[in-house]
Amino acid sequence: MWRALAQTAFRAADRSPVAGILPKLHPPTTLTQHQQLRHSKATQAKQQPPYKIGIMSGVEKPKVVFVLGGPGAGKGTQCSKIVDRFQFTHLSAGDLLREERSREGSEFGNLIEDYIRNGKIVPVEVTCSLLENAMKASGKSRFLIDGFPRNQDNLDGWNRQMSEKVDMQFVLFFDCSEDVCVQRCLGRGQSGSGRTDDNMESLKKRISTYNNDSLPIIKFFEGAGQVKRIDASPDADAVFEEVERVFLASGF
């Protein structure tokens, strides 16, 4: 019955004034269940926007290398060389704290000044927040975090706030004798570094803090097989040859 009606309609359409202008009608086609499913998936795929993969998007976590060593071990000098050679972004916990201390209107300025001047470690919540903000602002995916974590509280705070957001690679440890470190810091201060802690009184406190608080953290990472130890006593170029070998061996 429905076939006869459809044929009558098709003949009428062929005789109509618009026949030949509009495309001819075709009888309805019944799709199988499998064809309907394929058609539905294809339609959904066309409607979905393309995915965007970007830095800090969560698809690939930023890679972090902790850079540790005593005051004057040459961390800043070596970090600048790593930045040039391997396209890392250098974040110095100390520099970020000093910048925040001098920033007009900072609610943490006086607190940071008191801690730095007395060779003490600034509360981890402040330091982690500054590091996280700097990482996000950079838009980059490889970071050297210099001078952090410096004690157990730093490590615990980092694990609470940042461990799930980044991919920690290893700890780059610049091992240097205390005498060499002191000489370098005093020479830096005499050359006009502008740092209020490059003097003998502050250095004694900083070295004491490093020995009591930071060395145990380095030993902790060492026990986990995550420390790359570098002899930092030679000149900067000789030290970087060792650093370069470490980063190349690590896939950078």
Side-chain angles (χ1 to χ4, degrees), residues 34-212:
H34 178 66
Q35 288 173 325
Q36 289 176 343
L37 181 61
R38 289 177 58 189
H39 177 72
S40 175
K41 289 182 177 179
T43 303
Q44 290 176 2
K46 290 180 181 179
Q47 292 175 345
Q48 289 176 346
Y51 291 105
K52 295 182 179 180
I53 300 176
I55 295 170
M56 303 292 282
S57 66
V59 176
E60 182 179 357
K61 294 180 180 180
K63 292 179 170 57
V64 167
V65 171
F66 289 140
V67 182
L68 297 176
K75 299 185 295 296
T77 299
Q78 294 302 317
C79 282
S80 65
K81 292 177 177 292
I82 297 168
V83 167
D84 292 339
R85 175 69 173 82
F86 296 102
Q87 289 74 57
F88 272 72
T89 297
H90 177 208
L91 298 178
S92 166
D95 287 349
L96 289 173
L97 289 167
R98 281 183 280 272
E99 289 171 9
E100 181 66 18
R101 175 189 59 183
S102 61
R103 185 175 65 83
E104 186 176 355
S106 170
E107 60 180 310
F108 302 115
N110 291 333
L111 178 145
I112 293 171
E113 170 63 22
D114 178 67
Y115 274 80
I116 290 179
R117 186 178 295 277
N118 289 286
K120 297 187 294 183
I121 296 174
V122 174
V124 66
E125 292 79 11
V126 175
T127 308
C128 277
S129 294
L130 294 176
L131 287 169
E132 183 173 9
N133 290 341
M135 291 172 70
K136 289 179 178 178
S138 74
K140 304 297 183 180
S141 61
R142 294 180 175 183
F143 297 95
L144 301 170
I145 298 186
D146 170 9
F148 185 92
R150 293 180 61 198
N151 63 4
Q152 187 64 48
D153 183 54
N154 275 185
L155 180 58
D156 292 342
W158 172 270
N159 286 336
R160 286 194 303 270
Q161 186 169 336
M162 296 296 295
S163 63
E164 296 299 319
K165 302 175 184 178
V166 303
D167 184 6
M168 205 283 277
Q169 301 293 293
F170 54 85
V171 174
L172 190 64
F173 171 41
F174 290 104
D175 191 9
C176 192
S177 71
E178 186 174 313
D179 290 342
V180 172
C181 287
V182 169
Q183 291 172 8
R184 287 176 178 174
C185 286
L186 292 179
R188 186 171 62 190
Q190 292 168 359
S191 300
S193 67
R195 292 179 51 162
T196 59
D197 53 355
D198 276 343
N199 58 77
M200 184 56 77
E201 183 180 355
S202 291
L203 272 173
K204 289 179 180 178
K205 296 174 182 178
R206 292 168 64 194
I207 290 172
S208 176
T209 298
Y210 169 74
N211 289 333
N212 294 330

